Amino acid sequence: MAAAPVAAGSGAGRGRRSAATVAAWGGWGGRPRPGNILLQLRQGQLTGRGLVRAVQFTETFLTERDKQSKWSGIPQLLLKLHTTSHLHSDFVECQNILKEISPLLSMEAMAFVTEERKLTQETTYPNTYIFDLFGGVDVHRMIAEFKLIPGLNNLFDKLIWRKHSASALVLHGHNQNCDCSPDITLKIQFLRLLQSFSDHHENKYLLLNNQELNELSAISLKANIPEVEAVLNTDRSLVCDGKRGLLTRLLQVMKKEPAESSFRFWQARAVESFLRGTTSYADQMFLLKRGLLEHILYCIVDSECKSRDVLQSYFDLLGELMKFNVDAFKRFNKYINTDAKFQVFLKQINSSLVDSNMLVRCVTLSLDRFENQVDMKVAEVLSECRLLAYISQVPTQMSFLFRLINIIHVQTLTQENVSCLNTSLVILMLARRKERLPLYLRLLQRMEHSKKYPGFLLNNFHNLLRFWQQHYLHKDKDSTCLENSSCISFSYWKETVSILLNPDRQSPSALVSYIEEPYMDIDRDFTEE
């Protein structure tokens, strides 16, 4: 945690402002720049430098900006909460502050249990966005030191996931079919807490107990791979106690959840956040040994889940669970052991490529890695796995590529579908590695003509790639997530995009070489939405 700015009345620090505060104000004695604070906070959280939380501002500054920006006093409350949240602080004061914050977030939290509970823009949930942006869930060290995770683990069965009677209070606040209730809200907020606690953070291993941490070490030792540094650095005095850790308890609950449950989406998201980031074989095997892959496939194939939200969360989780893991693909093939089951699985994937594209990306990346390995176990999986055989076919890859590019446009890009652009780039980057990029572009051109709209797809892709450059290269967007999820250096991502956008019509790897002159429409200006 960054040190708080020195109080105005304290000795040598009198009258000083932190460097971050000065920058936000636009220099000594300046006025706050509209919109500049939120931008700097988000950039600071992505880069780990500069502004990252409310404690880096003075209360006077936050109050002044709150009048203009209408932040509902949340940053000031977070500043007070931070200064009172220490081992020897007055916890009654902490409780009073939390009581002030809670009503500001509760109505927005209730909205997450409706059918519209998707990842949304900050304007949809302004208080939640400001709470997060100014370090409200910062997202770990402080709450870990207070042994929050062992406490939640002990309360899991007794309070959080106990069975409730059918007469439990239900609040029909949205419509007659709304099933919002204090019980449902508590459980969803608990799942969101687990998700935020473990997402891209080494403290995620506090969700295990000592025996489970030893199991991770044993998995690494057996596979002859180094232990994850975060596992070695985990403070074992802060992990879960009891026979099972929180993650294992969550998996047990997940398996028992009814098909129509409101919680399936958030359960899958919470488990996926544990896997997200740099792929860890030990983490994957820990979950595979507990039957997670079979449970996901049962929900996708045997129950033929219809909810798009749940399907997307299952596909994302399945992709993280299987990526680069030959044992996972063996288990997949053992479960999907008939052509009929495989066709149902493909039907679910193809029903909405926006929802399943992350799985397509993970399988494509895994195939590429397996093909470059000399190992009997890998060779066996390559020869037997239906999914790998399906993805390995050029017509299959071209079909996915064509549809991924066709379903997104610069004007309609959202947080939900922008991943389709990166998945299409992964397919082309791997083709470039094999010196097949011109072949794939030529096939896209032929597919355009066969669909009776020549130039439309490639023009659209050209605009999307220009957007990609603006999005990732000129606004300090975090590129590590692309590297971690693909194990492809960001420099290779950038090079591939530059090659595709080369204006030279003689280049065999440039998009313009495959757009006939009468259909050229790539010079229009556009702005990032």
Side-chain angles (χ1 to χ4, degrees):
M1 300 289 289
V6 181
S10 61
R14 186 185 307 273
R16 293 183 181 177
R17 295 176 183 153
S18 69
T21 305
V22 172
W25 276 78
W28 295 102
R31 301 295 296 170
R33 297 172 181 170
N36 197 33
I37 306 304
L38 303 188
L39 176 61
Q40 289 197 43
L41 275 170
R42 183 55 78 205
Q43 290 178 339
Q45 290 169 353
L46 291 174
T47 63
R49 299 186 298 273
L51 301 174
V52 290
R53 54 188 67 86
V55 72
Q56 292 175 283
F57 302 96
T58 64
E59 186 172 4
T60 302
F61 170 72
L62 292 175
T63 302
E64 179 68 21
R65 283 296 279 125
D66 195 271
K67 293 176 183 177
Q68 303 175 41
S69 304
K70 299 180 180 179
W71 291 333
S72 303
I74 292 174
Q76 299 97 301
L77 290 170
L78 289 174
L79 177 59
K80 292 179 182 177
L81 183 62
H82 182 274
T83 58
T84 57
S85 297
H86 299 287
L87 288 175
H88 302 293
S89 300
D90 182 359
F91 291 108
V92 174
E93 180 64 19
C94 292
Q95 188 177 29
N96 291 334
I97 296 171
L98 288 172
K99 285 180 180 179
E100 288 188 63
I101 294 176
S102 180
L104 299 171
L105 305 178
S106 59
M107 290 308 297
E108 293 181 4
M110 292 292 282
F112 278 96
V113 301
T114 68
E115 285 303 312
E116 292 78 31
R117 59 185 183 277
K118 297 179 180 177
L119 296 176
T120 51
Q121 300 291 340
E122 58 267 21
T123 52
T124 310
Y125 302 105
N127 288 348
T128 304
Y129 177 69
I130 293 300
F131 181 82
D132 173 44
L133 196 61
F134 278 90
V137 292
D138 185 14
V139 238
H140 290 101
R141 182 180 62 82
M142 290 176 62
I143 61 176
E145 288 178 352
F146 293 153
K147 296 194 174 182
L148 172 73
I149 299 303
L152 289 177
N153 192 38
N154 293 330
L155 289 174
F156 190 86
D157 293 328
K158 299 175 183 177
L159 175 64
I160 298 170
W161 227 272
R162 72 184 190 273
K163 292 184 178 179
H164 290 267
S165 65
S167 60
L169 177 63
V170 175
L171 306 176
H172 296 293
H174 301 98
N175 54 60
Q176 288 301 311
N177 297 320
C178 174
D179 61 353
C180 297
S181 71
D183 170 47
I184 290 175
T185 303
L186 172 66
K187 291 180 178 179
I188 289 179
Q189 288 307 306
F190 168 77
L191 293 172
R192 294 189 67 219
L193 173 61
L194 293 191
Q195 178 186 4
S196 64
F197 191 83
S198 59
D199 190 13
H200 288 97
H201 201 281
E202 61 182 18
N203 273 350
K204 67 182 183 180
Y205 292 107
L206 297 183
L207 300 178
L208 310 182
N209 63 20
N210 274 299
Q211 183 178 351
E212 291 165 345
L213 283 172
N214 291 337
E215 183 180 340
L216 281 181
S217 300
I219 292 171
S220 298
L221 180 64
K222 183 178 179 180
N224 195 28
I225 58 176
E227 283 191 65
V228 176
E229 187 175 351
V231 175
L232 295 173
N233 294 336
T234 296
D235 185 345
R236 294 201 171 210
S237 69
L238 303 177
V239 302
C240 294
D241 48 18
K243 294 182 179 179
R244 294 180 296 274
L246 262 179
L247 183 63
T248 302
R249 287 179 183 269
L250 177 58
L251 292 177
Q252 291 176 323
V253 166
M254 191 175 176
K255 291 179 182 179
K256 298 176 182 177
E257 208 64 43
E260 69 282 2
S261 171
S262 304
F263 304 122
R264 283 190 173 276
F265 171 84
W266 292 109
Q267 288 168 342
R269 282 283 178 251
V271 178
E272 184 213 345
S273 69
F274 182 81
L275 288 171
R276 201 177 301 151
T278 304
T279 303
S280 167
Y281 174 81
D283 292 354
Q284 291 173 323
M285 293 306 299
F286 179 86
L287 295 173
L288 286 170
K289 289 170 66 176
R290 284 155 176 79
L292 179 59
L293 182 139
E294 289 80 6
H295 171 69
I296 297 172
L297 293 178
Y298 169 81
C299 295
I300 294 174
V301 176
D302 294 318
S303 72
E304 296 193 53
C305 175
K306 299 296 191 296
S307 167
R308 276 198 58 192
D309 287 346
V310 173
L311 269 177
Q312 183 181 27
S313 63
Y314 280 165
F315 282 131
D316 289 351
L317 176 54
L318 187 62
E320 292 295 334
L321 189 62
M322 295 180 67
K323 186 167 54 179
F324 307 134
N325 192 308
V326 68
D327 298 279
F329 280 91
K330 287 186 69 173
R331 283 175 175 257
F332 176 94
N333 211 46
K334 185 176 180 180
Y335 190 94
I336 307 295
N337 56 2
T338 66
D339 287 337
K341 278 190 172 183
F342 188 57
Q343 290 305 315
V344 173
F345 184 75
L346 291 183
K347 179 182 177 182
Q348 291 282 53
I349 287 181
N350 288 306
S351 64
S352 178
L353 204 53
V354 171
D355 300 326
S356 62
N357 86 90
M358 288 298 292
L359 174 63
V360 171
R361 186 193 306 182
C362 290
V363 176
T364 303
L365 287 164
S366 299
L367 172 67
D368 180 73
R369 175 172 292 191
F370 294 158
E371 287 178 336
N372 290 290
Q373 291 179 337
V374 181
D375 184 278
M376 291 296 293
K377 189 176 178 181
V378 172
E380 180 185 352
V381 169
L382 281 172
S383 65
E384 295 179 356
C385 182
R386 288 176 170 84
L387 184 56
L388 289 173
Y390 176 74
I391 294 292
S392 68
Q393 300 171 30
V394 173
T396 299
Q397 295 181 24
M398 293 308 305
S399 174
F400 280 134
L401 184 59
F402 186 89
R403 291 162 57 204
L404 285 166
I405 299 172
N406 198 37
I407 59 180
I408 51 176
H409 309 277
V410 171
Q411 294 77 12
T412 59
L413 282 176
T414 66
Q415 286 179 320
E416 185 180 14
N417 64 26
V418 71
S419 62
C420 293
L421 176 56
N422 287 325
T423 299
S424 66
L425 267 174
V426 164
I427 294 174
L428 291 176
M429 282 191 294
L430 298 182
R432 179 190 165 204
R433 277 184 179 175
K434 299 174 183 177
E435 299 183 346
R436 302 171 79 176
L437 186 54
L439 169 64
Y440 278 52
L441 296 180
R442 189 160 57 249
L443 290 174
L444 281 177
Q445 183 188 44
R446 291 178 185 174
M447 294 173 80
E448 277 187 328
H449 282 267
S450 68
K451 297 294 183 181
K452 308 299 183 187
Y453 48 91
F456 177 82
L457 186 86
L458 293 177
N459 276 304
N460 181 52
F461 193 38
H462 197 282
N463 285 333
L464 287 167
L465 293 180
R466 290 168 63 200
F467 167 87
W468 189 95
Q469 285 186 324
Q470 288 191 5
H471 186 71
Y472 283 102
L473 304 185
H474 303 313
K475 294 200 173 182
D476 295 325
K477 297 291 183 180
D478 187 18
S479 60
T480 57
C481 61
L482 292 180
E483 290 187 320
N484 289 337
S485 66
S486 65
C487 288
I488 298 175
S489 68
F490 189 61
S491 61
Y492 198 81
W493 285 80
K494 293 190 294 184
E495 288 170 7
T496 304
V497 172
S498 295
I499 288 171
L500 289 167
L501 292 180
N502 188 342
D504 182 6
R505 294 181 63 86
Q506 303 304 313
S507 170
S509 296
L511 286 174
V512 293
S513 301
Y514 301 88
I515 306 175
E516 298 171 29
E517 194 67 41
Y519 307 111
M520 189 74 68
D521 188 24
I522 61 174
D523 295 324
R524 292 178 302 169
D525 291 331
F526 67 93
T527 57
E528 182 179 343
E529 296 294 330

